[in-house]
């Protein structure tokens, strides 16, 4: 048999492919039948619309046995199968077939052709729809696929493959109240984060009583530096940015520890629960926003503004469900030069001779960080809310 040259294209009514829960998803199918395929005989044209939550246990927060044997089944929120045309044939040319289906937790079963437009029978699903989200261990995906069913001897069925569209939730009264009642959150960075070397040094000191008695306990409470700041609130609409400020009150006492940069990291906290009750939680970075650049000479008592937007595909309203939950946090990270050169062997800087071999060592500055993570809740804003910024794709 000869390969089929017929083209199929799905065109959604929404230009940005974004739909609200309980909306009607509308569009049309464009089928272009070439002269070589005309007339195109088929056993029916069907559209499938699916919405599912794909889950997996965290590799960092679960054992190897849990990852191998724990049961984490995907959640089917929507599974619609619409028969757009009954068996027949399509003449040469371009054919437009409209379709529509409700974006609700409904499972439609295959039904007969109805007015060339849509199938309407089906039963209710068991899980409410969630907003589109692409996380590390939680994936909420929606998509549509069109298939022209043909016998295998005629070349087999023709499919568009799964075409993803985005789903947004609607504002909830409780979430709107939390944002409206949210208060500013102050924070302070005064000491470096402990490294592995610091922990080893502490263990050595704790094993020797003489060193422990001779150590100055008062110095442990001294501030190594002071960076203060404030977030405007701890509950945000996903359409608006995270705002606040950072202020350098005093630089490190050790002049070798120069401030290098300050970043705001948006973290997602995903929790997945298996059928056996295994619970795994993992925090991962969504995006970094640098508010103080490398080498910037920021004077003391100068406020640096914070302005961070939520990325559309990798952020969603905070929520907890039976088998998974998604939350977020804003992490303030200050990075300093440690003042110590870390020598590394550079293989690219090796010079070979017939008698001797020299390796040139490259020096790299060590870095130390100081950070604080502030949990935040994210909610969907009401449609009539005039203020706020749109999220970026």
């Amino acid at each position: 048999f000869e390969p089929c040259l017929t083209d199929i294209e799905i065109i959604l009514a929404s230009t940005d492919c974004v739909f609200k829960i309980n909306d009607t998803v509308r569009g049309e199918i464009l089928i272009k039948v070439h002269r070589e395929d005309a007339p195109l005989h088929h056993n029916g044209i069907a559209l499938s619309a699916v919405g599912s939550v794909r889950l997996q246990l965290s590799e960092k927060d679960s054992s190897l046995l849990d990852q191998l044997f724990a049961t984490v089944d995907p959640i089917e929120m929507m599974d619609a199968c619409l028969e757009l045309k009954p068996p027949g044939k399509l003449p040469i040319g371009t054919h437009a077939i409209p379709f529509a289906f409700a974006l609700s937790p409904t499972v439609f079963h295959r039904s007969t052709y109805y007015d060339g437009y849509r199938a309407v029978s089906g039963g209710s699903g068991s899980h409410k729809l969630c907003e589109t989200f692409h996380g590390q261990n939680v994936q909420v995906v929606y998509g549509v696929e069109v298939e022209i069913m043909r016998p295998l001897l005629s070349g087999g069925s023709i499919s568009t493959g799964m075409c993803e569209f985005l789903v947004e939730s609607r504002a909830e009264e409780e979430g709107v109240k939390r944002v409206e009642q949210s208060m500013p959150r102050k924070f302070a960075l005064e000491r470096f984060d402990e490294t592995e070397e610091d922990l080893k040094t502490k263990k050595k000191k704790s094993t020797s009583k003489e060193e422990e008695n001779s150590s100055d306990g008062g110095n442990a409470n001294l501030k190594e530096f002071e960076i203060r700041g404030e977030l405007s609130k701890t509950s945000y609409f996903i359409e608006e940015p995270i705002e606040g400020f950072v202020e350098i009150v005093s630089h490190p006492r050790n002049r070798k520890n120069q401030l290098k940069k300050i970043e705001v990291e948006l973290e997602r906290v995903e929790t997945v629960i298996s059928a056996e009750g295994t619970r795994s939680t993992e925090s991962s970075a969504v995006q970094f926003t640098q508010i103080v650049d490398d080498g910037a000479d920021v004077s003391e008592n100068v406020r640096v503004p914070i302005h961070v937007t939520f990325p559309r595909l990798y952020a969603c309203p905070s929520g907890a469900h039976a088998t998974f939950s998604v939350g977020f946090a804003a992490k303030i990270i200050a990075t300093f030069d440690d003042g110590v050169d870390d020598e590394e062997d550079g293989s690219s800087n090796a010079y070979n001779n017939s008698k001797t071999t020299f390796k040139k060592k490259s020096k790299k500055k060590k870095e130390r960080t100081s950070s604080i993570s502030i949990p935040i809740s994210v909610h969907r804003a009401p449609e009539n809310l005039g203020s706020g910024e749109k999220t970026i794709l």
Side-chain angles (χ1 to χ4, degrees):
F1 56 87
E2 296 182 358
C4 184
L5 303 177
T6 299
D7 301 322
I8 316 175
E9 184 179 2
I10 301 176
I11 299 179
L12 297 174
S14 175
T15 55
D16 55 1
C17 298
V18 178
F19 298 89
K20 293 283 188 180
I21 293 178
N22 296 327
D23 278 353
T24 299
V25 179
R26 300 182 184 275
E28 63 179 7
I29 312 299
L30 292 182
I31 303 176
K32 186 176 182 180
V33 181
H34 294 272
R35 184 181 303 275
E36 294 80 1
D37 301 329
L40 181 68
H41 295 269
H42 61 86
N43 295 333
I45 302 175
L47 179 141
S48 300
V50 297
S52 63
V53 183
R54 305 167 190 171
L55 306 173
Q56 67 177 19
L57 293 179
S58 169
E59 295 181 359
K60 299 179 181 179
D61 194 40
S62 58
S63 64
L64 181 60
L65 290 176
D66 289 334
Q67 296 178 32
L68 292 175
F69 300 106
T71 305
V72 185
D73 295 325
I75 302 172
E76 299 297 334
M77 299 176 295
M78 182 182 69
D79 188 3
C81 186
L82 317 181
E83 191 172 358
L84 304 178
K85 273 193 174 296
K89 58 183 179 179
L90 295 175
I92 187 175
T94 302
H95 307 271
I97 306 175
F99 67 88
F101 60 89
L103 194 56
S104 59
T106 306
V107 179
F108 287 91
H109 302 288
R110 185 179 299 276
S111 66
T112 57
Y113 169 76
Y114 177 75
D115 195 26
Y117 192 60
R118 59 178 177 174
V120 294
S121 64
S124 298
S126 59
H127 197 283
K128 69 175 184 179
L129 297 188
C130 304
E131 187 162 321
T132 298
F133 176 67
H134 293 266
Q136 190 79 14
N137 302 311
V138 179
Q139 299 269 343
V140 183
V141 181
Y142 296 85
V144 292
E145 180 181 9
V146 174
E147 182 181 8
I148 300 178
M149 292 170 284
R150 304 176 68 216
L152 183 61
L153 295 178
S154 300
S157 298
I158 309 171
S159 174
T160 59
M162 194 58 65
C163 176
E164 184 178 1
F165 61 91
L166 308 182
V167 174
E168 291 183 352
S169 59
R170 297 184 181 274
E172 297 181 355
E173 185 177 354
E174 181 180 354
V176 174
K177 287 183 179 180
R178 289 191 63 178
V179 175
E180 293 175 349
Q181 298 173 1
S182 181
M183 302 296 292
R185 169 67 158 82
K186 295 183 179 181
F187 60 87
L189 301 175
E190 299 174 347
R191 300 188 64 82
F192 292 113
D193 295 335
E194 289 187 340
T195 62
E196 293 183 1
E197 295 181 0
D198 296 333
L199 296 176
K200 290 179 181 179
T201 304
K202 279 188 175 182
K203 288 182 180 180
K204 290 180 181 180
K205 287 186 177 181
S206 63
T207 56
S208 174
K209 292 184 179 180
E210 295 181 0
E211 291 182 4
E212 185 177 353
N213 294 330
S214 63
S215 61
D216 187 3
N219 290 336
N221 296 323
L222 291 177
K223 299 177 182 177
E224 297 175 309
F225 54 88
E226 187 174 3
I227 299 176
R228 297 193 175 275
E230 180 181 287
L231 293 183
S232 60
K233 49 191 174 182
T234 55
S235 295
Y236 291 89
F237 290 128
I238 197 171
E239 294 85 356
E240 64 181 1
I242 300 174
E243 293 184 329
F245 69 88
V246 169
E247 182 180 357
I248 302 173
V249 180
S250 62
H251 286 278
R253 291 181 285 118
N254 187 348
R255 294 184 177 181
K256 293 182 179 180
N257 300 124
Q258 294 296 324
L259 178 64
K260 189 175 182 182
K261 59 183 176 180
I262 299 179
E263 297 173 303
V264 180
E265 175 189 343
L266 180 62
E267 286 185 320
R268 58 192 170 207
V269 183
E270 301 168 86
T271 300
V272 177
I273 305 174
S274 67
E276 293 79 12
T278 303
R279 186 186 188 94
S280 70
T281 302
E282 181 178 356
S283 299
S284 57
V286 178
Q287 69 177 16
F288 290 88
T289 303
Q290 194 166 311
I291 57 176
V292 174
D293 198 3
D294 292 354
D297 186 13
V298 181
S299 303
E300 295 181 353
N301 302 319
V302 173
R303 291 189 173 184
V304 180
I306 296 175
H307 187 95
V308 178
T309 56
F310 291 95
R312 173 63 190 88
L313 291 179
Y314 305 104
C316 68
S318 306
H321 305 273
T323 56
F324 72 96
S325 64
V326 178
F328 294 91
K331 188 175 183 179
I332 316 299
I333 307 172
T335 305
F336 300 83
D337 282 331
D338 194 19
V340 179
D341 293 334
D342 185 16
E343 293 186 351
E344 295 181 346
D345 290 336
S347 59
S348 60
N349 296 329
Y351 301 95
N352 297 325
N353 197 311
S354 58
K355 295 182 179 180
T356 57
T357 302
F358 300 96
K359 267 193 175 181
K360 187 177 179 181
K361 292 184 177 180
S362 61
K363 292 184 178 181
K364 181 182 179 182
K365 286 284 188 180
K366 284 186 177 180
E367 294 180 347
R368 298 205 66 176
T369 60
S370 178
S371 61
I372 182 172
S373 185
I374 303 173
I376 60 175
S377 60
V378 184
H379 308 274
R380 179 63 62 182
E383 295 182 7
N384 57 358
L385 188 66
S387 61
E389 297 185 4
K390 286 190 176 182
T391 56
I392 59 176
L393 286 174

